Amino acid sequence: MAAHAAESDAVIPPMPERTPKALRRALAEDAPHLLPDFDRHWKRAIADTYDLGPVPAFMARWWIEYAIARDPKLDAHLHDLEQRAAEATDITEAKALLEEASRIRHEALRAEPGE
């Protein structure tokens, strides 16, 4: 995976193969701050239960997290939207901000390996 350059001209790493192992490796390289939560979630939802049923939901959640975290500008924008929504006093404004955040997350889920 490519390393990040200065934020203004950051190289966004491509999405990994759509497997837990490849996604974990990508997180370790490009978003290591998320790795402890990823590992805890994997242990609690999959490893400790010996149940593979939750793997698709687990992958969807962490696919989105990585797709956003690998792009510092997008990550900052999403956090700004969520923060502004939390502080909004107008329900219409808060709803619009959260709908935009939701759109970003849905778009991230559609990212394909190699993109």
Side-chain angles (χ1 to χ4, degrees):
M1 305 260 155
H4 291 299
E7 189 168 320
S8 62
D9 60 347
V11 175
I12 300 170
M15 292 299 290
E17 293 177 39
R18 205 179 285 261
T19 66
K21 186 176 182 177
L23 183 55
R24 186 185 188 287
R25 186 173 39 251
L27 282 164
E29 290 181 22
D30 303 312
H33 63 283
L34 295 176
L35 202 53
D37 287 341
F38 177 92
D39 287 342
R40 271 192 300 274
H41 188 190
W42 178 264
K43 185 176 182 333
R44 184 183 71 246
I46 315 297
D48 285 352
T49 65
Y50 296 93
D51 182 3
L52 298 178
V55 170
F58 176 90
M59 284 297 295
R61 186 219 171 182
W62 287 100
W63 191 258
I64 292 166
E65 293 300 321
Y66 176 72
I68 292 166
R70 71 190 176 122
D71 181 344
K73 284 184 178 181
L74 181 60
D75 192 36
H77 177 61
L78 181 64
H79 289 309
D80 178 62
L81 289 170
E82 292 169 341
Q83 184 65 40
R84 288 171 41 212
E87 295 170 354
T89 56
D90 176 52
I91 190 72
T92 304
E93 177 187 4
K95 182 179 176 187
L97 292 164
L98 291 175
E99 286 174 351
E100 175 63 10
S102 178
R103 185 196 63 74
I104 290 169
R105 289 187 177 282
H106 279 90
E107 189 175 309
L109 181 59
R110 291 192 298 271
E112 292 292 330
E115 287 183 352

